[in-house]
Amino acid sequence: NAGVTQTPKFQVLKTGQSMTLQCAQDMNHEYMSWYRQDPGMGLRLIHYSVGAGITDQGEVPNGYNVSRSTTEDFPLRLLSAAPSQTSVYFCASSFRATSSSPLHFGNGTRLTVT
Amino acid sequence: ILNVEQSPQSLHVQEGDSTNFTCSFPSSNFYALHWYRWETAKSPEALFVMTLNGDEKKKGRISATLNTKEGYSYLYIKGSQPEDSATYLCASPAWGTDKLIFGTGTRLQVFP
């Protein structure tokens, strides 16, 4: 079972560059989300989606865009990378919206912006 | 945004000790409470999802309780083993939204 697949695993960007972090799940989950993990800050929600065509902002959405054109895919776009976006990014999905369904996490993408 | 707090921040115990830690959340407009286990260099894995006041869940030596009226959940580990060493996260959805908000976690280290 593939579960939640994130690519790439590592990425180094220069300030001002753009890139897309990919996330795909093969469990037919309705809900998908992106978190960033920073030391001492835990996991902070960037954006989430409750189904294809529907996205919404989380706690720290600035500097990031998302789209959900299919149930399986939920890419995260960095429009103009900044050093403050250096972090580990996790994609997570659940069967339904979060009230009663546990999240399944991808393996993470470690991003460094210089 | 919902404030989910965990204590202590870190914990060191000897193998065989039992331990517990706390997750606090606003008691008004409660929806659900999630617990996750996060080992170093891995991804978080779900332990429990609890929704009802008084809920108790158990998985092996790990159990959790929920008090929605006073806004806390306890996670217990009985007879800690070195393989229990991990960060334990709790999370709760903000009322009326699908935003799952995490606490900063309790880092447990179990020494042989």
Side-chain angles (χ1 to χ4, degrees), chain A:
Chain A
N1 290 337
V4 179
T5 303
Q6 285 184 239
T7 56
K9 291 187 178 181
F10 301 96
Q11 183 70 50
V12 179
L13 290 178
K14 293 186 178 179
T15 298
Q17 287 184 316
S18 62
M19 79 158 296
T20 299
L21 279 62
Q22 302 291 344
C23 176
Q25 53 88 12
D26 62 356
M27 298 174 283
N28 201 29
H29 283 176
E30 287 187 351
Y31 183 89
M32 296 187 75
S33 55
W34 278 101
Y35 288 88
R36 59 178 288 173
Q37 183 237 336
D38 302 294
M41 306 286 288
L43 290 169
R44 291 185 293 170
L45 180 65
I46 305 172
H47 286 285
Y48 66 99
S49 168
V50 298
I54 306 169
T55 64
D56 207 345
Q57 295 181 347
E59 302 170 272
V60 288
N62 292 341
Y64 307 95
N65 275 358
V66 291
S67 59
R68 185 95 180 269
S69 56
T70 67
T71 299
E72 294 79 20
D73 300 299
F74 191 45
L76 178 72
R77 296 182 186 84
L78 281 70
L79 305 174
S80 178
S84 60
Q85 294 179 305
T86 294
S87 187
V88 181
Y89 292 84
F90 286 95
C91 179
S93 70
S94 67
F95 182 62
R96 291 262 188 264
T98 58
S99 59
S100 59
S101 298
L103 288 177
H104 298 254
F105 284 84
N107 289 330
T109 295
R110 184 175 292 274
L111 176 69
T112 302
V113 183
T114 61

Side-chain angles (χ1 to χ4, degrees), chain A residues 31 35 37 40-43 45 48 50 57-59 90 97-103 105-108, chain B residues 1 31-34 36 38 42-46 49-51 89 93 97-104:
Chain A
Y31 183 89
Y35 288 88
Q37 183 237 336
M41 306 286 288
L43 290 169
L45 180 65
Y48 66 99
V50 298
Q57 295 181 347
E59 302 170 272
F90 286 95
T98 58
S99 59
S100 59
S101 298
L103 288 177
F105 284 84
N107 289 330
Chain B
I1 290 288
Y31 234 14
L33 194 285
H34 296 222
Y36 293 82
W38 192 0
K42 294 188 177 180
S43 302
E45 291 184 348
V49 178
M50 296 185 286
T51 58
L89 299 168
T97 78
D98 297 305
K99 301 179 185 183
L100 189 61
I101 306 301
F102 280 83
T104 53

Side-chain angles (χ1 to χ4, degrees), chain B residues 11-21 37 61-62 75-86 88 108-112:
Chain B
L11 202 52
H12 302 112
V13 302
Q14 289 292 127
E15 182 176 356
D17 288 349
S18 294
T19 186
N20 65 88
F21 19 95
R37 169 194 165 90
R61 292 178 292 97
I62 303 176
L75 190 79
Y76 300 91
I77 302 178
K78 183 178 178 182
S80 303
Q81 300 297 309
E83 57 265 30
D84 295 327
S85 297
Y88 292 83
L108 174 67
Q109 289 185 279
V110 182
F111 295 100

Side-chain angles (χ1 to χ4, degrees), chain B residues 16-60:
Chain B
D17 288 349
S18 294
T19 186
N20 65 88
F21 19 95
T22 306
C23 174
S24 301
F25 51 87
S27 56
S28 58
N29 302 322
F30 173 79
Y31 234 14
L33 194 285
H34 296 222
W35 280 102
Y36 293 82
R37 169 194 165 90
W38 192 0
E39 293 181 72
T40 302
K42 294 188 177 180
S43 302
E45 291 184 348
L47 288 171
F48 309 114
V49 178
M50 296 185 286
T51 58
L52 298 176
N53 185 44
D55 252 356
E56 291 189 29
K57 301 268 187 176
K58 187 174 181 181
K59 183 182 287 189

